[in-house]
């Protein structure tokens, strides 16, 4: 009786030295991700995020938040040491809106480069948006529409169609920058909509009267896209989740 030979299973582990790592210095968080290689859909081997809030006071002071900077340095040291200890063949350290826009951002970058003997790439807004769009296309090649990348300090909008990436728009309306509008919903919506209206290809137009009166749809009749107010109550949701956790622990 003939027997079929089983083919040996290929190990899912990558070849030694084939991994790559990215450290993302964002406005709200630092993140280290280690991948098993460079390809369209790499496997994530490690992913950690630390909330530092570098851009927390940027809108008021024009500088990086001092507490955020103090928290960032030891965590960057840990992330870089961890990436290097795994033997990655490539380590990219990228910085986005907060470092890009802060008056002391260049000093912060220089200190990182001096401490760790590597280069930090500060992404321009358009480049940040372009890379976000390519990330979406890597996972969804047939994507057709607008990619929105919401960060702590900025929002990038990029049209994609037919596996092609259009011109990116970067807007200073990340949640950390808008925190100062807390309690003034009308002014908050007006600020966001003015920035959206500046993106010509998006075709967003606000109806000021609808915004003042608090209607659900606040876009004008000739707006190419709809602008809607979605009511949220974060405090209520936090209370409900907390209650559920307490109940489950009993």
């Amino acid at each position: 009786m003939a027997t079929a030979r089983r083919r040996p299973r290929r190990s899912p582990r990558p070849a030694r030295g084939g991994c790559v790592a990215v450290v993302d210095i964002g406005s709200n968080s630092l993140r280290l991700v280690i991948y098993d290689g460079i390809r369209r859909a790499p496997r994530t081997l490690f992913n950690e995020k630390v909330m530092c809030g570098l851009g927390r006071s940027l809108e008021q002071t024009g500088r990086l938040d001092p507490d955020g900077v103090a928290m960032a340095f030891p965590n960057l040291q840990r992330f870089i040491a961890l990436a290097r200890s795994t033997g990655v063949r490539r380590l990219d350290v990228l910085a986005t809106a907060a470092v890009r826009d802060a008056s002391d951002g260049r000093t912060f970058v220089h200190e990182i480069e001096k401490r760790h003997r590597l280069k930090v790439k500060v992404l321009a807004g358009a480049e940040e948006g372009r890379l976000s769009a390519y990330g979406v296309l890597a996972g969804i090649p047939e994507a057709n529409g607008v990619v929105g990348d919401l960060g702590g300090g900025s929002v990038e909008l990029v049209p994609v169609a037919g596996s092609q990436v259009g011109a990116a728009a970067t807007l200073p309306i990340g949640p950390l920058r808008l925190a100062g509008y807390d309690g003034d919903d009308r002014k908050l919506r007006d600020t966001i909509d003015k920035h959206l209206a500046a993106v010509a290809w998006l075709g967003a137009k606000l109806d000021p009267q609808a915004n003042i009166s608090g209607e659900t749809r606040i876009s004008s009749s000739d707006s190419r896209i709809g602008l809607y107010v979605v009511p949220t109550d974060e405090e209520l949701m936090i209370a409900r989740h907390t209650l559920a956790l307490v109940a489950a622990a009993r």
Side-chain angles (χ1 to χ4, degrees):
M1 179 176 177
T3 58
R5 247 186 216 181
R6 288 187 179 180
R7 290 185 180 180
R9 288 187 177 182
R10 295 181 63 185
S11 171
R13 299 179 64 182
R16 184 173 176 81
C19 301
V20 297
V22 178
V23 175
D24 177 7
I25 306 174
S27 301
N28 203 24
S29 66
L30 303 180
R31 185 187 292 273
L32 166 65
V33 186
I34 300 177
Y35 299 100
D36 68 346
I38 298 178
R39 56 176 178 272
R40 187 180 67 80
R43 187 160 60 100
T44 301
L45 303 178
F46 183 87
N47 187 347
E48 183 182 346
K49 179 171 70 173
V50 178
M51 306 301 289
C52 292
L54 285 171
R56 189 180 298 116
S57 56
L58 180 62
E59 194 69 12
Q60 293 75 34
T61 67
R63 298 173 62 84
L64 297 173
D65 185 80
D67 292 337
V69 171
M71 190 179 208
F73 279 129
N75 281 290
L76 282 169
Q77 180 179 6
R78 182 170 61 85
F79 280 177
I80 292 169
L82 178 60
R84 285 173 169 168
S85 70
T86 62
V88 296
R89 65 182 173 89
R90 175 171 172 173
L91 169 61
D92 289 294
V93 181
L94 310 175
T96 55
V99 175
R100 179 170 69 233
D101 296 339
S103 61
D104 57 344
R106 186 62 247 177
T107 302
F108 177 69
V109 166
H110 177 71
E111 184 63 25
I112 297 170
E113 293 178 336
K114 184 176 72 171
R115 290 188 186 192
H116 303 290
R117 298 185 180 183
L118 48 66
K119 293 297 293 181
V120 176
K121 184 171 184 178
V122 181
L123 297 177
E127 186 176 12
E128 184 180 354
R130 182 178 62 84
L131 292 175
S132 298
Y134 279 125
V136 170
L137 289 176
I140 315 172
E142 70 278 9
N144 187 350
V146 177
V147 173
D149 179 8
L150 173 61
S154 66
V155 172
E156 279 67 46
L157 299 174
V158 195
V160 294
S163 298
Q164 298 299 309
V165 172
T170 182
L171 310 175
I173 52 176
L176 287 180
R177 284 189 163 167
L178 298 177
Y181 294 102
D182 186 33
D184 192 343
D185 292 346
R186 186 189 304 169
K187 189 173 182 180
L188 174 63
R189 292 195 299 268
D190 186 55
T191 299
I192 293 172
D193 292 331
K194 281 181 179 178
H195 284 293
L196 290 176
V199 184
W201 56 262
L202 192 60
K205 294 184 181 180
L206 175 70
D207 181 338
Q209 188 55 47
N211 185 33
I212 292 172
S213 60
E215 295 181 23
T216 300
R217 182 183 175 113
I218 57 174
S219 50
S220 64
S221 58
D222 60 339
S223 178
R224 294 215 312 254
I225 64 171
L227 302 174
Y228 297 88
V229 177
V230 180
T232 59
D233 190 334
E234 293 179 359
E235 288 79 9
L236 177 60
M237 293 306 297
I238 291 171
R240 285 177 176 171
H241 286 302
T242 302
L243 183 61
L245 288 172
V246 170
R250 287 179 179 173

